[in-house]
C-alpha cells in the first residue's frame, strides 16, 4: 500500500505527520470520492514528487475516471487562480479588483463531477496555495450548497497534512544529497 510506504518514509522527528497522515486519510469521514479527489488534488498542489508518486495510484484506484480527471483539473485551474486572485487581493490598489480577469476557467462551471466535490477540492488546493479570496469564495459556495463546516475543515486537514509531508520529505531528500 502506497500510503504505508509514504508513512514509513516520514522521519522520526515528524512522527506527528505520520500519525496525522494515517488519520486524515484512513479515518476520514469524507465520502470516498471527496476524500480521494482531495488527496489527489493536494498531492499535485504540494509539488512533491514523492508524495504524488505514492498517493496517485491509490487515488486513481478509488476514483472514477471522471473524478480522477476532475481532481487534476481542480489542481490545475487553482494553480492559476490562486496566483491571480491572491495577487489582486494583496495589491494595495483596489482598481485591480474591478478589472476583468480574462482567464478561462470553464472547468469550474462544468467539472464532470458533482459541483460540491470540485469546490471542496478547489478549496483544499487554495489552502495549500494560500489564497484567502479563493478560500472565501469556495467556502461560501460549499456552505450555500449545504456542506457543513466539519466537512470543509476535514478537507483543509487533508491539505495541511499532505503539504507538510511533502515539505518534510523534500527537505530530507535535499539534505541527504549533501
Amino acid at each position: 500500500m502506497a500510503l504505508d510506504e509514504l508513512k514509513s518514509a516520514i522521519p522520526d522527528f515528524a512522527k506527528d505527520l505520520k500519525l496525522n497522515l494515517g488519520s486524515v486519510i484512513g479515518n476520514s469521514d469524507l465520502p470516498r470520492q471527496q476524500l480521494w479527489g482531495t488527496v489527489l488534488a493536494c498531492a499535485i498542489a504540494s509539488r512533491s514528487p514523492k508524495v504524488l508518486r505514492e498517493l496517485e495510484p491509490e487515488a486513481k484506484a478509488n476514483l472514477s475516471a471522471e473524478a480522477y480527471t476532475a481532481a487534476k483539473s481542480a489542481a490545475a485551474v487553482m494553480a492559476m487562480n490562486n496566483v491571480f486572485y491572491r495577487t489582486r487581493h494583496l495589491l494595495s490598489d483596489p482598481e485591480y479588483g474591478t478589472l476583468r480577469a480574462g482567464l478561462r476557467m470553464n472547468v469550474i462551471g462544468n467539472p464532470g463531477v458533482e459541483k460540491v466535490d470540485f469546490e471542496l477540492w478547489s478549496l483544499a488546493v487554495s489552502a495549500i496555495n494560500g489564497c484567502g479570496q479563493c478560500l472565501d469564495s469556495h467556502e461560501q459556495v460549499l456552505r450555500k450548497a449545504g456542506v457543513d463546516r466539519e466537512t470543509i475543515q476535514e478537507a483543509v486537514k487533508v491539505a495541511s497534512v499532505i503539504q507538510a509531508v511533502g515539505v518534510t520529505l523534500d527537505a530530507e531528500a535535499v539534505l541527504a544529497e549533501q
Side-chain angles (χ1 to χ4, degrees):
M1 179 184 204
L3 181 57
D4 289 336
E5 290 178 32
L6 188 59
K7 286 175 20 183
S8 70
I10 298 171
D12 289 341
F13 71 81
K15 181 180 179 183
D16 289 329
L17 297 182
K18 185 181 301 192
L19 296 171
N20 287 332
L21 185 62
S23 176
V24 299
I25 294 177
N27 299 324
S28 178
D29 290 331
L30 293 174
R32 188 174 63 146
Q33 179 166 296
Q34 285 183 356
L35 172 64
W36 286 103
T38 302
V39 168
L40 179 58
C42 290
I44 293 167
S46 77
R47 298 174 184 87
S48 170
K50 180 154 184 71
V51 167
L52 183 56
R53 264 193 307 276
E54 296 298 332
L55 294 177
E56 184 274 341
E58 202 161 344
K60 192 171 193 175
N62 280 285
L63 294 168
S64 67
E66 296 81 12
Y68 177 82
T69 299
K72 292 193 324 181
S73 296
V77 77
M78 296 319 296
M80 174 186 70
N81 284 358
N82 292 158
V83 170
F84 182 79
Y85 288 104
R86 182 179 62 235
T87 300
R88 278 186 21 170
H89 176 75
L90 292 173
L91 289 169
S92 61
D93 184 347
E95 290 297 313
Y96 288 102
T98 67
L99 300 176
R100 182 178 170 279
L103 297 172
R104 298 219 181 253
M105 317 170 206
N106 295 330
V107 72
I108 293 173
N110 187 17
V113 295
E114 292 292 325
K115 180 92 165 126
V116 165
D117 294 354
F118 191 84
E119 289 289 332
L120 193 67
W121 303 337
S122 297
L123 177 129
V125 170
S126 296
I128 289 173
N129 291 332
C131 181
Q133 191 170 2
C134 293
L135 282 166
D136 282 341
S137 175
H138 295 290
E139 189 267 348
Q140 288 170 14
V141 170
L142 287 164
R143 296 290 293 144
K144 284 180 187 169
V147 176
D148 59 38
R149 286 178 180 88
E150 290 79 11
T151 298
I152 293 168
Q153 181 171 289
E154 192 73 20
V156 172
K157 285 168 45 178
V158 170
S160 65
V161 172
I162 288 175
Q163 174 67 7
V165 169
V167 166
T168 301
L169 294 179
D170 290 354
E172 286 298 290
V174 168
L175 294 173
E177 293 173 1
Q178 296 180 346

